[in-house]
Amino acid sequence: MKLTGNLLIGAHEIPATEGTLKALNPATNQFIEPDFALGGVAQVDQAAILADEAFDAYSHTSLAERSAFLERIADNLDAASTALAARASLETGLPEAQLQGEAAKAATQFRQFADVVRKGRFLQLAIDPAQPERQPRPRMDHRLQKIAIGPVAIFGASNFPISYSVAGGDTASALAAGATVVLKAHNAHPGASEIQARAIRQAVQDSGLPEGVFSMVRGSGNAIGEALVDHPLIKAVTFTGSEQGGMALYRRAQLRPEPIPVFTEMTSVNPTFILPLALAERGASIGDGFAERMLVNVGQACLKPAILIAIEGPGFTALRAAMIKRVTEAAARPMLTPGIHAAYVSGLDHLQNVGATQVAAGLAAHGDLDGQSALLEVDGQRFLSETALAHEVFGPAALLVKVRDEAEMLAVARTLRGQLSAAMHLEAGDLGLAQRLLPVLERRTGRIVVNAFAHPQEVSFATIHGGPFPASSDSRFTSVGMTSIERFLRPVSYQGFPDALLPEALRESNPLGVPRSVDGQ
């Protein structure tokens, strides 16, 4: 596929209005052709107006039409997967084979949401039939369904250039809900973004949908993102990235004349607790597995296990030695961007400045943007006294927290901020401690894993990718999995409607054959 570098606003190809950029290959620290257009406030306005004009028609497409549209996107992504993985690898330094898997995952998500739409459960249909004879007051007929919230703005993520980017779960779930999408592409992988955007836009055209169903904009600095959040036609925002960036968007959205929801996925250290009998039985294998998961994507995964808490006792020496061995043997690999690399180096320095000791380092870096892995260690008392030790360092580093006893382990757990996930490794004899630890973790995370690690994560109905602040800005919702569609829905009740005027899904004969609650049953 030939890349033009244009902004894709509806059916329009928009050349640069605010300058251009080139993608950077982090493996060579060299720029890659071609130039990619940067836009500004005017292009955001154009995309938002098209999205608003398309919304009524698109949000009222039939379930069959919308599911077929999502499947066309999946087919287009499959057709482009080889070129997409190759370009994404150039722009990220990640292995091409890994990105082939990510492209397949993106297509799978669209097919999963097509199935969600086809079955109609997401509408959460409820009918309370009229009771004209009820005393002392008759009841009118009430019928409820969920509808799309409106045009939404989606910010592409940097660390997963396909499955959390233009064709990621945010876009899939928003389109499944019936929302139109204005997507801000991440500047770190503009070529991969264009390939994905063209796959979606082609599906819009082939489905005969209004052009404003999907647009992709790109800009430099914060102005274009701020314009998206500020635009009065945008009704919700999603963001994956740093706490600083996510909260800036969140606060801005609350200051609008019409505040809107901002669904952020921000920061997490995904703590792992090794309970005593599991430590004694499996310390070495747990330590090796933890370090192996920590190093995936050069540590640039939102579910990277970054902090391991274990009681100093039987098995601790083996756990520590296995972690040191895995980290020491790890090759330095390119990180995604110069900014991420610089923040990683700075974060490691800060951990040591506040009391952590580096006990292992990986193989030396050769490229300018290579991330050298690191293992740091601290005792429980120091961890409890220095809150900065619990902050995320985005990259191939982990912190081993050595606690004295069960009480100190529980105290450490209570100091943690909100997390995307937490893990416990345990044996049957550890259940008593696990039962005391569980409610502490439930208050601090959206997903708890036993005898495994938080990464990777299934995309399913039961999965949750979210948690209390600062993991996300609204712990009631997930940004991964089939229920992520709920972010883009709101309820509407229809009272006393004639059957012919009702939405098709709520008509008396249930012509769509979708599940409905009738009088609570």
Side-chain angles (χ1 to χ4, degrees):
M1 176 184 293
K2 179 177 174 58
L3 299 174
T4 68
N6 290 330
L7 306 176
L8 304 179
I9 300 180
H12 306 276
E13 301 260 348
I14 307 297
T17 63
E18 305 287 336
T20 63
L21 63 80
K22 279 186 169 70
L24 179 74
N25 183 335
T28 63
N29 205 17
Q30 300 293 314
F31 288 107
I32 321 166
E33 296 294 337
D35 289 331
F36 288 90
L38 297 173
V41 174
Q43 285 66 53
V44 167
D45 188 54
Q46 181 184 359
I49 289 171
L50 284 173
D52 186 66
E53 289 172 348
F55 177 76
D56 286 343
Y58 179 64
S59 64
H60 284 79
T61 51
S62 71
L63 301 183
E65 289 172 321
R66 203 180 309 165
S67 59
F69 165 54
L70 297 173
E71 287 169 340
R72 283 192 180 96
I73 295 173
D75 291 342
N76 291 349
L77 290 171
D78 282 340
S81 64
T82 299
L84 176 56
R87 180 70 194 195
S89 181
L90 282 177
E91 294 179 337
T92 64
L94 298 173
E96 193 169 329
Q98 176 183 322
L99 292 163
Q100 282 275 13
E102 199 175 318
K105 178 181 178 181
T108 296
Q109 286 185 104
F110 276 92
R111 291 193 176 96
Q112 287 175 304
F113 277 109
D115 191 53
V116 167
V117 171
R118 190 176 291 109
K119 291 176 179 175
R121 291 190 181 93
F122 74 100
L123 297 170
Q124 298 181 38
L125 303 169
I127 299 173
D128 295 325
Q131 295 179 355
E133 307 303 322
R134 190 185 68 173
Q135 296 297 326
R137 185 164 60 90
R139 182 175 79 180
M140 291 184 71
D141 184 272
H142 291 68
R143 300 182 183 228
L144 178 144
Q145 71 168 348
K146 293 289 187 76
I147 68 166
I149 197 169
V152 302
I154 292 175
F155 285 70
S158 65
N159 57 334
F160 288 92
I162 305 171
S163 59
Y164 282 91
S165 186
V166 176
D170 284 351
T171 302
S173 55
L175 292 173
T180 51
V181 170
V182 179
L183 188 135
K184 179 188 175 296
H186 200 284
N187 290 346
H189 45 262
S193 295
E194 181 178 331
I195 293 170
Q196 295 168 74
R198 290 190 180 279
I200 297 171
R201 190 172 75 162
Q202 188 63 51
V204 171
Q205 294 170 350
D206 291 345
S207 300
L209 296 171
E211 62 173 314
V213 166
F214 177 82
S215 293
M216 183 188 74
V217 297
R218 186 189 301 109
S220 62
N222 296 327
I224 196 165
E226 291 172 350
L228 262 176
V229 174
D230 291 346
H231 202 287
L233 297 178
I234 295 295
K235 301 302 180 185
V237 175
T238 75
F239 171 85
T240 299
S242 69
E243 180 181 346
Q244 179 181 3
M247 290 311 298
L249 296 180
Y250 178 86
R251 294 186 182 102
R252 193 174 188 95
Q254 306 320 303
L255 294 175
R256 287 175 32 142
E258 176 199 354
I260 58 172
V262 177
F263 302 106
T264 64
E265 186 261 278
M266 296 181 290
T267 182
S268 182
V269 296
N270 306 299
T272 299
F273 294 83
I274 316 300
L275 278 54
L277 292 181
L279 179 62
E281 289 284 331
R282 300 182 277 118
S285 64
I286 294 171
D288 181 68
F290 177 95
E292 186 271 331
R293 287 288 94 195
M294 178 270 286
L295 293 167
V296 170
N297 265 40
V298 203
Q300 300 163 117
C302 43
L303 289 173
K304 178 195 83 171
I307 294 182
L308 187 148
I309 302 100
I311 297 170
E312 188 174 20
F316 184 85
T317 299
L319 171 91
R320 185 176 185 273
M323 295 175 73
I324 289 173
K325 182 176 186 296
R326 172 71 75 162
V327 169
T328 301
E329 295 174 351
R333 291 170 50 201
M335 300 190 75
L336 292 165
T337 68
I340 289 174
H341 179 266
Y344 172 63
V345 173
S346 175
L348 280 183
D349 288 343
H350 186 64
L351 285 180
Q352 293 175 82
N353 290 339
V354 295
T357 301
Q358 184 165 321
V359 296
L363 300 177
H366 295 290
D368 294 340
L369 300 182
D370 284 355
Q372 184 181 24
S373 59
L375 177 65
L376 298 97
E377 186 177 46
V378 71
D379 64 55
Q381 283 301 300
R382 182 64 183 173
F383 188 89
L384 290 169
S385 67
E386 180 53 73
T387 58
L389 288 165
H391 290 184
E392 180 183 28
V393 175
F394 196 64
L399 179 65
L400 174 60
V401 181
K402 177 176 60 180
V403 296
R404 294 176 300 188
D405 51 29
E406 294 181 2
E408 192 165 273
M409 176 177 277
L410 289 165
V412 165
R414 292 188 187 101
T415 66
L416 294 171
R417 302 196 300 167
Q419 305 292 330
L420 293 171
S421 70
M424 294 188 290
H425 289 258
L426 55 90
E427 296 290 325
D430 290 316
L431 288 178
L433 176 56
Q435 287 168 342
R436 285 185 286 154
L437 183 58
L438 181 59
V440 179
L441 298 182
E442 286 173 336
R443 293 179 61 179
R444 288 164 175 80
T445 186
R447 185 165 65 104
I448 305 169
V449 182
V450 170
N451 289 338
F453 299 101
H455 185 267
Q457 182 180 38
E458 290 291 328
V459 179
S460 68
F461 282 94
T463 197
I464 291 294
H465 192 67
F469 179 84
S472 59
S473 53
D474 194 330
S475 63
R476 296 171 298 173
F477 298 95
T478 177
S479 60
V480 175
M482 301 302 96
T483 58
S484 63
I485 194 174
E486 293 174 5
R487 295 172 295 171
F488 308 110
L489 298 169
R490 64 178 184 86
V492 174
S493 182
Y494 305 82
Q495 182 175 338
F497 268 52
D499 197 64
L501 188 58
L502 282 167
E504 195 174 16
L506 289 173
R507 291 177 186 170
E508 192 65 27
S509 64
N510 192 8
L512 302 181
V514 289
R516 311 192 299 188
S517 166
V518 180
D519 244 349
Q521 302 298 316

